[in-house]
Amino acid sequence: MFVRLGMHDERPGGLTLSPACWTASQLVAGGAALIDVSGGLAGSDDPGRGPGYFVGYAEALKGVVDVPVLVAGGIADPRMADLIVRSRRADIVGIGGRCWRTRTGRAPRPRRSVRPDGGASEAP
């Protein structure tokens, strides 16, 4: 089971660190095999702290779960991603959004998508 634990997207009223740690531990106890610490569920964007703004959250969650923790949040530099993993602050780094921006600032439309059965299909 994959679980995306959307923190509070740096917005008021969202899931904060203490309840997120408890939730992650319960999800793992229920069978989750990966915890994804990222934003975007409430339209989040860089809160002004620069790249890697969810790394501290991922590091805290790693302290309470025994499954891999993925972190995202403005990370586009592969050296930064490497440092995050080597320093064991997260196990996996998601870098998609920042790397796939076009010159217009928008992400390109995917040409293919993956179906739940594992096959690929052309995007609509």
Side-chain angles (χ1 to χ4, degrees):
M1 175 187 344
F2 162 79
V3 177
R4 182 176 188 199
L5 189 60
M7 294 303 286
H8 54 75
D9 281 351
E10 298 298 320
R11 292 176 179 250
L15 186 63
T16 57
L17 186 56
S18 180
C21 287
W22 180 86
T23 301
S25 69
Q26 297 304 300
L27 290 167
V28 170
L34 174 90
I35 301 294
D36 174 347
V37 182
S38 58
L41 297 175
S44 70
D45 199 359
D46 182 346
R49 295 192 321 220
Y53 47 90
F54 286 128
V55 172
Y57 301 121
E59 185 174 26
L61 288 169
K62 277 188 59 66
V64 298
V65 300
D66 59 358
V67 298
V69 174
L70 180 148
V71 68
I75 303 164
D77 182 340
R79 293 169 297 190
M80 181 179 188
D82 183 62
L83 180 61
I84 291 166
V85 172
R86 285 182 187 271
S87 64
R88 301 178 193 259
R89 298 184 76 194
D91 301 298
I92 306 165
V93 176
I95 59 172
R98 295 288 174 157
C99 290
W100 293 106
R101 300 278 184 231
T102 65
R103 286 179 287 192
T104 64
R106 287 182 255 148
R109 186 174 178 181
R111 296 182 191 272
R112 297 176 60 88
S113 60
V114 177
R115 297 188 313 257
D117 66 2
S121 62
E122 294 300 318

